Amino acid sequence: AYTSIHTGYFTVNTGTSFAERVRIDSSGRLLIGATSSAGSAILTVQGLAGNTTEQGILAIRRSSNNGNNAKIGVIEFSGGDNNQAAIIQAVGDNTWGTDDYPGRLEFYTTADGASTPTERLRISSAGDVQISMSGSGFATLFRYGANEDNYIRSGVNGFTAFGDHNGGERMRIDSAGRVIIGSLGSAAQPSSGSADDLVIAGSGNRGITINSTDSSESGIFFADGTSGSAQTEGQVVYFHSTNLMAFATSNSYALKID
């Protein structure tokens, strides 16, 4: 092996053929497996050991004591003063054993006005994605658009909300499993009762449309069981082919309006 200083660059050569392995070019870029770079990256890793035409691999390893909650590798993003802005780290997600190496990824960012990163997102060894709660009391699970034009949020009190149009909430599933479509204004939850499993709320006219073909039926069924006739004890049915509305109790039509 030998090192060589050339006009404008420095190389390290190894092996029986003294092939070039590492180069520091005239711009101070460190090239491993490559002899040139047109980009601005200060580090370039090209290819595999012994075959630079394959994919580049960067391995970050921990030599021993791997296992539950042990940090395997860390990528840190900092300023020139070493103040951390963000961190990505791989951590052992349970006890390690033979052919058993569970790991998770953790993502940290430093908030405006803060000096240390806080975990924001975690991908567990089971593939579960956890998004950390912010100070506003909810976690934004998905968001599209700079102004939160579309989002899904999960709240500290157990609700899941869906919104669009610059952050306006359009639907919520609360901690009791009730579905609220629209906006309840200042009311955080619908009132308790026997008719609040589905609530359509908001100012102005509100309604539900069941759209079917002109030869089909549209209906609302009232059930007190999960099989047989218990699933259709009460019925409100509209027959589109004859334009007839029918009301049934105990699975028998009691009233028909043509």
Side-chain angles (χ1 to χ4, degrees):
Y2 68 87
T3 61
S4 180
I5 300 176
H6 305 266
T7 302
Y9 64 94
F10 173 87
T11 63
V12 176
N13 302 63
T14 65
T16 56
S17 62
F18 298 106
E20 181 180 326
R21 308 300 186 186
V22 177
R23 173 179 296 211
I24 301 176
D25 68 10
S26 59
S27 298
R29 295 174 293 200
L30 176 60
L31 312 176
I32 302 175
T35 58
S36 65
S37 175
S40 58
I42 198 168
L43 170 64
T44 297
V45 179
Q46 177 176 303
L48 303 174
N51 188 348
T52 59
T53 63
E54 294 291 335
Q55 74 275 13
I57 297 178
L58 181 63
I60 302 177
R61 298 176 178 173
R62 179 180 176 133
S63 62
S64 60
N65 299 320
N66 296 299
N68 193 34
N69 294 323
K71 294 182 181 180
I72 310 303
V74 179
I75 301 175
E76 180 182 300
F77 304 87
S78 303
D81 52 5
N82 294 320
N83 290 322
Q84 297 171 327
I87 294 173
I88 301 174
Q89 63 184 30
V91 182
D93 207 29
N94 211 327
T95 303
W96 282 27
T98 303
D99 297 326
D100 183 19
Y101 317 111
R104 66 178 182 263
L105 284 176
E106 299 174 353
F107 298 80
Y108 294 71
T109 62
T110 300
D112 186 20
S115 59
T116 57
T118 300
E119 185 178 355
R120 309 298 186 184
L121 184 145
R122 176 180 296 195
I123 305 174
S124 73
S125 57
D128 297 326
V129 178
Q130 303 173 44
I131 300 176
S132 298
M133 198 66 62
S134 66
S136 57
F138 57 79
T140 300
L141 305 182
F142 303 98
R143 186 179 72 179
Y144 174 77
N147 296 317
E148 295 189 348
D149 297 315
N150 298 280
Y151 66 77
I152 302 176
R153 286 176 174 167
S154 178
V156 292
N157 60 355
F159 73 83
T160 299
F162 303 79
D164 66 4
H165 297 304
N166 297 318
E169 184 176 316
R170 303 307 176 192
M171 186 177 79
R172 174 179 296 211
I173 303 174
D174 70 11
S175 58
R178 297 173 295 198
V179 178
I180 303 100
I181 300 175
S183 173
L184 290 173
S186 61
Q189 304 283 357
S191 60
S192 300
S194 60
D196 62 356
D197 295 294
L198 173 62
V199 177
I200 299 174
S203 60
N205 299 325
R206 297 284 169 167
I208 298 175
T209 297
I210 301 176
N211 198 328
S212 183
T213 64
D214 59 7
S215 61
S216 302
E217 300 173 6
S218 299
I220 301 174
F221 289 5
F222 303 88
D224 53 20
T226 58
S227 63
S229 61
Q231 300 177 91
T232 56
E233 287 288 356
Q235 303 173 29
V236 178
V237 182
Y238 190 86
F239 297 88
H240 291 276
S241 59
T242 57
N243 290 322
L244 182 145
M245 177 76 79
F247 298 83
T249 59
S250 298
N251 280 290
S252 178
Y253 287 117
L255 173 66
K256 294 182 179 181
I257 304 174
D258 60 16

